[in-house]
Amino acid sequence: MRALLPVALCLLAAPAALADTALLIANTRHDHGQSLRQADEIAALDRSLTEAGFEVIVVENGTAEAMGAGLSALIEAGETERLFIALAGHVVRSQRGTWILGTEADAPDLASVGRQGLSLDVILEVAGQVPGRSIVLIGTEPRGIETGEGLGRGLGPIDAPQGVTVISGAPDDLAEFTRDAVLRPGVDLAAALEAAGNLRSHGFLSAALPFLGAEADVPPPAGPSPEETALWQAARDLNTAGAYDAYLVRYPQGAHAAEARTALAALAAQPVDPLAEAEAVESALNLNRAARQQIQRDLTILDYNTRGIDGIFGPGTRGAIRAWQEASGQEATGFLTERQIGRLREAAAQRAAELEDEARRQREAQELADRAFWQAIGQGQDEAGLRSYLERFPRGLYADVARARLEDIEAARRAEAEAEERDAWDAVRREDSVGAYRSYLQAYPSGLFVPAARARIAEIESGLSPEAQARAEQVEAALNLAQPVRVLVEQRLAAVGLDPGRADGVIDRQTRIAIRAYQEGRGLAPTGYLDQITVVRLLAEAIGGRLFD
């Protein structure tokens, strides 16, 4: 019987002879996020599961505590036969894990998500106690909920335990798949999943071992060993003649031997698809997000635009891979082998070293020119020389000295100026706008601060146009740099001789000046804002391209 509460945690009893157990978590309403439209489809599975002989634990619109209580009830059931878990709610991820949030979750971050949700890793660990007979369904919808630092919406990486079938998709599609395939005795789940077309599997999925046997009163046959199951799953994932041959050599009389021979015959009758085979080879490498991001960084260093360094291999990254493969004399498939990844890493490291050497030579040449010009103006003994030096080397070796001397000159002039002009100049300096300086020049055409006003007007007007600044701000914002990365950028600017101010992750005016100086010195567009190539080159120059190894 369901309790008449906003959160229902109930156990629907089934006949004792069929001690299969199911856990359903369906969070439709959330206090601080959009309501989900289809999560109740998961809760509605309780009847079908009960009719199939399952004891069903249901958590509807549950807090993190209620969901944890439901999982505890599942553990206490001590299931050893068949385990069915279905989840639907707001799902968030980090680089290493995934959580389903409770209804009370409010902008969780990486530190608090464990208190506001239930870890998918823990759920999978429980499912792993019944290998070969456990199914976990994860229902997600593209609906909004705010997340804090370190988290994003949607599924993260899923490392399914041995023998656990994990399937994700829309809740209504998962509910339909459960009724039409999972709970139908003798159904080939792999074939049913392929036919569905709108669901994704992770981990174990055997075509020879249906979730429910063909006859309910006949115990399921003993399955293959975990080692054989793992090898067969790898062969199915690769779906190549070599993979099936490897399985048959190891297990010529194995549980999947007939399927392997059938698959070999089917492959032999089909024309070879090089792209499909290349994709399968890369997929078998099981690259995590960090490895994919490193590949994108390496391609960017080699001037192949991946359209982002996010660990997602979309059209931009695939196009960059193809361009690199073609330029390096390899088959341009857009998919990488392990050997190609190594070659790419080596090429990027070499290019990073070249960029660092080139930057060093540019710095040395600039410093020579800087010192020579300082000597040519008499080491800054007059105002004209100081201003010409700062115009040419605004962040030069003697820039601080030049500005200090100009400030002394201005201070001396201010002391000599009449009170009215001094007050007017101080007001103009506080406003620090082109209009204010032009007003000053109009009022005091022969004033003591005319050279300073004209110099400041030239400095302001040499900046970006409003349109260019807006574009540069958008490009920097799209990088979505975390605070530790911004701190690292400031540290690297300081390491190459620039002064970004305090390394606190706050990009202020002093930091903008340092970024612009770096861009000018490297032949990049001097916007003062970060873009992908500026960040990659700065970090690569700093340590020879080995920062992210």
Side-chain angles (χ1 to χ4, degrees), residues 257-473:
E259 291 176 78
R261 293 185 178 94
T262 300
L264 279 172
L267 288 173
Q270 295 176 357
V272 176
D273 184 348
L275 284 181
E277 189 167 357
E279 182 178 6
V281 169
E282 182 185 280
S283 178
L285 297 178
N286 197 25
L287 299 172
N288 59 28
R289 184 176 183 181
R292 289 171 177 264
Q293 287 177 312
Q294 183 62 60
I295 289 169
Q296 289 173 324
R297 280 190 288 269
D298 291 341
L299 289 165
T300 301
I301 282 288
L302 296 172
D303 292 328
Y304 296 101
N305 186 5
T306 61
R307 302 181 191 173
I309 300 177
D310 52 10
I312 299 173
F313 281 11
T317 301
R318 292 298 177 193
I321 292 172
R322 281 193 295 272
W324 172 75
Q325 288 172 327
E326 185 174 0
S328 56
Q330 304 175 82
E331 184 178 2
T333 63
F335 298 94
L336 292 167
T337 66
E338 186 172 8
R339 183 176 181 183
Q340 287 175 338
I341 292 173
R343 290 181 60 182
L344 178 61
R345 182 87 278 272
E346 291 174 4
Q350 181 178 351
R351 179 56 180 157
E354 293 170 355
L355 288 172
E356 183 180 3
D357 189 54
E358 179 183 336
R360 178 185 54 77
R361 290 196 301 271
Q362 289 177 351
R363 287 196 301 271
E364 290 174 352
Q366 188 174 24
E367 288 177 4
L368 285 174
D370 189 325
R371 291 191 176 92
F373 193 81
W374 182 254
Q375 294 294 328
I377 63 169
Q379 297 184 337
Q381 297 304 312
D382 59 68
E383 182 179 359
L386 290 169
R387 295 200 181 281
S388 63
Y389 174 83
L390 286 175
E391 182 179 353
R392 184 167 180 180
F393 300 101
R395 284 157 292 278
L397 298 173
Y398 308 100
D400 290 342
V401 174
R403 290 192 179 92
R405 290 181 182 177
L406 285 174
E407 288 176 3
D408 291 341
I409 292 172
E410 281 194 21
R413 285 180 177 162
R414 239 186 340 264
E416 297 172 3
E418 294 182 358
E420 180 182 347
E421 183 180 354
R422 186 184 306 116
D423 291 342
W425 176 249
D426 288 340
V428 167
R429 289 284 288 173
R430 286 192 297 272
E431 183 174 341
D432 195 33
S433 67
V434 171
Y437 288 118
R438 291 197 188 283
S439 296
Y440 170 81
L441 292 174
Q442 254 186 331
Y444 304 98
S446 301
L448 294 173
F449 304 104
V450 166
R454 288 175 177 163
R456 183 57 182 149
I457 288 172
E459 181 179 352
I460 294 174
E461 292 183 339
S462 67
L464 297 174
S465 67
E467 295 79 10
Q469 181 175 347
R471 288 194 298 272
E473 289 175 348

Side-chain angles (χ1 to χ4, degrees), residues 131-177:
R133 294 294 186 180
S134 290
I135 288 182
V136 178
L137 306 183
I138 310 169
T140 61
E141 298 181 43
R143 306 286 285 169
I145 190 168
E146 185 179 352
T147 60
E149 188 71 25
L151 294 181
R153 292 195 294 269
L155 289 173
I158 295 178
D159 186 13
Q162 178 67 40
V164 176
T165 298
V166 182
I167 302 174
S168 62
D172 57 342
D173 292 333
L174 290 172
E176 181 180 359
F177 181 76

Side-chain angles (χ1 to χ4, degrees), residues 183-196:
L183 298 182
R184 286 181 59 193
V187 169
D188 179 344
L189 293 186
L193 186 66
E194 184 176 357

